[in-house]
Amino acid sequence: VAAGSTVELGCSAQGDPAPRMQWHKERGDLPWGRHEVDQENTLRLYAVTLTDAGTYVCTAQSQLGTAAATARLRV
């Protein structure tokens, strides 16, 4: 993505009961004040900078176990 733009990373999981979803960045924190996660578990990063580049991990956790998916962001 281009620096200064907004990026959306989607993640979904199903189960009964519904799994608990969480986003984090490998080797760092989500950008303070420039991210949000909506009800569909889509992570939005606003005004992307070079420091936002890296691997983002979406984790789904339920009574049955844990699953994770990764997305690599290049700026």
Side-chain angles (χ1 to χ4, degrees):
V1 299
S5 65
T6 297
V7 66
E8 294 184 354
L9 303 175
C11 187
S12 65
Q14 296 178 347
D16 187 16
R20 187 173 139 258
M21 307 289 288
Q22 190 171 20
W23 278 98
H24 73 274
K25 183 179 179 189
E26 265 184 11
R27 300 187 185 102
D29 297 321
L30 294 175
W32 182 255
R34 295 187 297 108
H35 80 276
E36 70 176 0
V37 179
D38 67 18
Q39 290 181 331
E40 286 81 39
N41 301 305
T42 298
L43 171 65
R44 275 188 199 83
L45 304 175
Y46 298 100
V48 171
T49 68
L50 291 175
T51 60
D52 295 328
T55 301
Y56 291 81
V57 181
C58 175
T59 305
Q61 186 173 16
S62 75
Q63 298 167 340
L64 298 176
T66 302
T70 61
R72 179 165 293 166
L73 178 65
R74 293 183 183 162
V75 181

PDB file of all heavy atoms in Angstrom, residues 46-60:
ATOM      1  N   TYR A  46      -5.256   3.439   9.445  1.00  0.00           N
ATOM      2  CA  TYR A  46      -5.398   4.744   8.791  1.00  0.00           C
ATOM      3  C   TYR A  46      -4.045   5.441   8.688  1.00  0.00           C
ATOM      4  O   TYR A  46      -3.176   5.257   9.536  1.00  0.00           O
ATOM      5  CB  TYR A  46      -6.353   5.634   9.596  1.00  0.00           C
ATOM      6  CG  TYR A  46      -7.747   5.069   9.696  1.00  0.00           C
ATOM      7  CD1 TYR A  46      -8.171   4.404  10.840  1.00  0.00           C
ATOM      8  CD2 TYR A  46      -8.637   5.179   8.637  1.00  0.00           C
ATOM      9  CE1 TYR A  46      -9.449   3.878  10.937  1.00  0.00           C
ATOM     10  CE2 TYR A  46      -9.919   4.653   8.713  1.00  0.00           C
ATOM     11  CZ  TYR A  46     -10.313   4.008   9.859  1.00  0.00           C
ATOM     12  OH  TYR A  46     -11.577   3.476   9.957  1.00  0.00           O
ATOM     13  N   ALA A  47      -3.885   6.262   7.653  1.00  0.00           N
ATOM     14  CA  ALA A  47      -2.670   7.064   7.452  1.00  0.00           C
ATOM     15  C   ALA A  47      -1.429   6.192   7.648  1.00  0.00           C
ATOM     16  O   ALA A  47      -0.561   6.476   8.463  1.00  0.00           O
ATOM     17  CB  ALA A  47      -2.661   8.269   8.394  1.00  0.00           C
ATOM     18  N   VAL A  48      -1.365   5.114   6.866  1.00  0.00           N
ATOM     19  CA  VAL A  48      -0.303   4.121   6.989  1.00  0.00           C
ATOM     20  C   VAL A  48       1.074   4.767   6.818  1.00  0.00           C
ATOM     21  O   VAL A  48       1.267   5.627   5.957  1.00  0.00           O
ATOM     22  CB  VAL A  48      -0.521   3.008   5.936  1.00  0.00           C
ATOM     23  CG1 VAL A  48       0.665   2.065   5.877  1.00  0.00           C
ATOM     24  CG2 VAL A  48      -1.795   2.250   6.236  1.00  0.00           C
ATOM     25  N   THR A  49       2.016   4.344   7.666  1.00  0.00           N
ATOM     26  CA  THR A  49       3.402   4.816   7.585  1.00  0.00           C
ATOM     27  C   THR A  49       4.325   3.620   7.357  1.00  0.00           C
ATOM     28  O   THR A  49       3.902   2.467   7.464  1.00  0.00           O
ATOM     29  CB  THR A  49       3.828   5.531   8.883  1.00  0.00           C
ATOM     30  OG1 THR A  49       3.890   4.569   9.942  1.00  0.00           O
ATOM     31  CG2 THR A  49       2.865   6.647   9.251  1.00  0.00           C
ATOM     32  N   LEU A  50       5.583   3.899   7.090  1.00  0.00           N
ATOM     33  CA  LEU A  50       6.551   2.822   6.866  1.00  0.00           C
ATOM     34  C   LEU A  50       6.669   1.907   8.081  1.00  0.00           C
ATOM     35  O   LEU A  50       6.908   0.711   7.941  1.00  0.00           O
ATOM     36  CB  LEU A  50       7.921   3.408   6.528  1.00  0.00           C
ATOM     37  CG  LEU A  50       8.034   4.100   5.171  1.00  0.00           C
ATOM     38  CD1 LEU A  50       9.408   4.740   5.014  1.00  0.00           C
ATOM     39  CD2 LEU A  50       7.773   3.121   4.047  1.00  0.00           C
ATOM     40  N   THR A  51       6.485   2.447   9.288  1.00  0.00           N
ATOM     41  CA  THR A  51       6.597   1.633  10.501  1.00  0.00           C
ATOM     42  C   THR A  51       5.437   0.643  10.648  1.00  0.00           C
ATOM     43  O   THR A  51       5.520  -0.273  11.459  1.00  0.00           O
ATOM     44  CB  THR A  51       6.688   2.502  11.761  1.00  0.00           C
ATOM     45  OG1 THR A  51       5.516   3.308  11.857  1.00  0.00           O
ATOM     46  CG2 THR A  51       7.916   3.391  11.735  1.00  0.00           C
ATOM     47  N   ASP A  52       4.370   0.821   9.868  1.00  0.00           N
ATOM     48  CA  ASP A  52       3.234  -0.107   9.923  1.00  0.00           C
ATOM     49  C   ASP A  52       3.492  -1.380   9.129  1.00  0.00           C
ATOM     50  O   ASP A  52       2.759  -2.359   9.262  1.00  0.00           O
ATOM     51  CB  ASP A  52       1.958   0.563   9.400  1.00  0.00           C
ATOM     52  CG  ASP A  52       1.516   1.718  10.284  1.00  0.00           C
ATOM     53  OD1 ASP A  52       1.732   1.658  11.496  1.00  0.00           O
ATOM     54  OD2 ASP A  52       0.945   2.679   9.733  1.00  0.00           O
ATOM     55  N   ALA A  53       4.527  -1.386   8.301  1.00  0.00           N
ATOM     56  CA  ALA A  53       4.849  -2.572   7.514  1.00  0.00           C
ATOM     57  C   ALA A  53       5.159  -3.730   8.459  1.00  0.00           C
ATOM     58  O   ALA A  53       5.724  -3.537   9.541  1.00  0.00           O
ATOM     59  CB  ALA A  53       6.033  -2.301   6.604  1.00  0.00           C
ATOM     60  N   GLY A  54       4.754  -4.920   8.061  1.00  0.00           N
ATOM     61  CA  GLY A  54       5.044  -6.095   8.872  1.00  0.00           C
ATOM     62  C   GLY A  54       3.945  -7.123   8.756  1.00  0.00           C
ATOM     63  O   GLY A  54       3.090  -7.056   7.872  1.00  0.00           O
ATOM     64  N   THR A  55       3.961  -8.081   9.664  1.00  0.00           N
ATOM     65  CA  THR A  55       3.008  -9.180   9.659  1.00  0.00           C
ATOM     66  C   THR A  55       1.964  -8.964  10.739  1.00  0.00           C
ATOM     67  O   THR A  55       2.294  -8.730  11.903  1.00  0.00           O
ATOM     68  CB  THR A  55       3.732 -10.526   9.888  1.00  0.00           C
ATOM     69  OG1 THR A  55       4.702 -10.689   8.852  1.00  0.00           O
ATOM     70  CG2 THR A  55       2.754 -11.684   9.850  1.00  0.00           C
ATOM     71  N   TYR A  56       0.705  -9.055  10.338  1.00  0.00           N
ATOM     72  CA  TYR A  56      -0.433  -8.909  11.244  1.00  0.00           C
ATOM     73  C   TYR A  56      -1.088 -10.269  11.421  1.00  0.00           C
ATOM     74  O   TYR A  56      -1.204 -11.033  10.455  1.00  0.00           O
ATOM     75  CB  TYR A  56      -1.425  -7.885  10.688  1.00  0.00           C
ATOM     76  CG  TYR A  56      -0.848  -6.485  10.729  1.00  0.00           C
ATOM     77  CD1 TYR A  56       0.034  -6.054   9.748  1.00  0.00           C
ATOM     78  CD2 TYR A  56      -1.169  -5.614  11.761  1.00  0.00           C
ATOM     79  CE1 TYR A  56       0.597  -4.790   9.796  1.00  0.00           C
ATOM     80  CE2 TYR A  56      -0.624  -4.340  11.811  1.00  0.00           C
ATOM     81  CZ  TYR A  56       0.257  -3.940  10.837  1.00  0.00           C
ATOM     82  OH  TYR A  56       0.814  -2.687  10.901  1.00  0.00           O
ATOM     83  N   VAL A  57      -1.499 -10.556  12.645  1.00  0.00           N
ATOM     84  CA  VAL A  57      -2.039 -11.878  12.973  1.00  0.00           C
ATOM     85  C   VAL A  57      -3.445 -11.737  13.524  1.00  0.00           C
ATOM     86  O   VAL A  57      -3.691 -10.951  14.449  1.00  0.00           O
ATOM     87  CB  VAL A  57      -1.148 -12.597  14.012  1.00  0.00           C
ATOM     88  CG1 VAL A  57      -1.694 -13.979  14.326  1.00  0.00           C
ATOM     89  CG2 VAL A  57       0.292 -12.675  13.532  1.00  0.00           C
ATOM     90  N   CYS A  58      -4.373 -12.494  12.944  1.00  0.00           N
ATOM     91  CA  CYS A  58      -5.745 -12.571  13.442  1.00  0.00           C
ATOM     92  C   CYS A  58      -5.893 -13.931  14.130  1.00  0.00           C
ATOM     93  O   CYS A  58      -5.615 -14.965  13.524  1.00  0.00           O
ATOM     94  CB  CYS A  58      -6.729 -12.451  12.285  1.00  0.00           C
ATOM     95  SG  CYS A  58      -8.444 -12.669  12.802  1.00  0.00           S
ATOM     96  N   THR A  59      -6.330 -13.911  15.382  1.00  0.00           N
ATOM     97  CA  THR A  59      -6.479 -15.141  16.156  1.00  0.00           C
ATOM     98  C   THR A  59      -7.940 -15.330  16.529  1.00  0.00           C
ATOM     99  O   THR A  59      -8.600 -14.391  16.985  1.00  0.00           O
ATOM    100  CB  THR A  59      -5.626 -15.074  17.439  1.00  0.00           C
ATOM    101  OG1 THR A  59      -4.278 -14.802  17.072  1.00  0.00           O
ATOM    102  CG2 THR A  59      -5.691 -16.365  18.216  1.00  0.00           C
ATOM    103  N   ALA A  60      -8.438 -16.534  16.329  1.00  0.00           N
ATOM    104  CA  ALA A  60      -9.798 -16.913  16.729  1.00  0.00           C
ATOM    105  C   ALA A  60      -9.664 -17.955  17.842  1.00  0.00           C
ATOM    106  O   ALA A  60      -8.941 -18.934  17.691  1.00  0.00           O
ATOM    107  CB  ALA A  60     -10.564 -17.495  15.559  1.00  0.00           C
TER     108      ALA A  60
END
